[in-house]
Amino acid sequence: MIDPPLPTAGRLVRGCAIGSVGIRPPRQYGELLDRREDGLGLHHLVWRLGPGWRVCSSAVLGGGLGPRAWILNAQVPGGYPRLDPDRHLAEIAAAEALDGPGAGLMTAADVTAYTVADDGGATATVTSGLGVRGWAAAPPEGTDGPLPPGTVNIVVTLPVALSDAALVNAVATATEAKVQALVDAGLDCSGTPTDAVCVAAPDPGGQPGEPFAGPRSRWGARLARAVHRAVLESALRES
């Protein structure tokens, strides 16, 4: 099988997803949808991955590493009142007929202002709310309770299978690129207390998969550039 040509690396899409020719499995882009909750108009992004995909994430619903058929990034009101975000996300997923295991994130940020960046087949989608931000290693003590959603949420899709270790490495690489972008945007922070990352890649199907996803590996470098561009664009909008 001969892979079709890639689009230009580093292409940034503002507030919309542009379909393009993919390599290996088709490219995955989030679908922007709307809903009403308690009289409020809210939005969410859905990736309908289908079978044969794995996700490594810090998502509140379906976090960890394993098979996932969908990803959901849902907007919620500021001052989020519920104490069961996983159940809330499951309800939204059910309303969208999302079947099987999935990963769900939430944010109080305006989901319609999402940014997308492509780099050589790696696609990063970002929603950000940077009103409450700071450095990860800060003097005050942390808390074990739930934090209000604001967040930088990052969803990355890759067209190649990764090993377990490479999937975990990809999450670390995405986080490094996020921090670099925030600093490049002139913000004195590493993120917000509720940031989340999801990385989706095809299941290796018994094969080893790509062994590395650090920033100097082929796919880690592409992922990092895509995340950096999408986070930087989103952060500059807010600054």
Side-chain angles (χ1 to χ4, degrees):
M1 175 179 177
I2 299 175
D3 291 330
L6 290 170
T8 302
R11 184 181 181 193
L12 180 68
V13 185
R14 301 184 179 184
C16 65
I18 297 178
S20 59
V21 176
I23 61 173
R24 299 175 179 89
R27 294 277 177 86
Q28 295 283 349
Y29 290 100
E31 177 186 4
L32 181 64
L33 301 167
D34 63 83
R35 69 188 194 282
R36 295 198 69 81
E37 289 184 6
D38 300 324
L40 295 175
L42 301 168
H43 294 84
H44 50 276
L45 287 162
V46 171
W47 289 256
R48 302 177 190 271
L49 303 174
W53 285 81
R54 299 197 307 162
V55 171
C56 184
S57 80
S58 58
V60 66
L61 173 66
L65 193 161
R68 301 291 184 267
W70 49 267
I71 300 171
L72 169 67
N73 184 13
Q75 180 187 11
V76 296
Y80 184 64
R82 294 182 60 160
L83 299 177
D84 58 346
D86 53 345
R87 183 173 180 178
H88 188 187
L89 286 163
E91 292 168 356
I92 299 170
E96 295 294 349
L98 300 176
D99 297 324
L105 309 87
M106 59 174 46
T107 178
D110 179 6
V111 170
T112 65
Y114 71 98
T115 56
V116 181
D118 295 324
D119 194 299
T123 303
T125 304
V126 171
T127 59
S128 69
L130 293 163
V132 179
R133 60 182 184 264
W135 291 100
E141 289 295 324
T143 177
D144 293 328
L147 291 167
T151 66
V152 178
N153 282 346
I154 300 169
V155 175
V156 175
T157 59
L158 298 171
V160 296
L162 302 181
S163 69
D164 287 359
L167 266 173
V168 175
N169 203 176
V171 171
T173 298
T175 303
E176 291 180 36
K178 175 200 72 174
V179 176
Q180 181 182 347
L182 294 175
V183 172
D184 287 347
L187 300 175
D188 187 23
C189 68
S190 58
T192 83
T194 52
D195 292 354
V197 179
C198 281
V199 178
D203 192 297
Q207 300 301 312
E210 294 287 330
F212 306 113
R216 295 285 71 81
S217 68
R218 179 193 299 269
W219 287 101
R222 293 175 180 181
L223 177 159
R225 289 190 295 266
V227 170
H228 180 269
R229 291 186 181 102
V231 173
L232 181 61
E233 173 67 14
S234 189
L236 288 173
R237 288 183 182 182
E238 296 190 56
S239 61

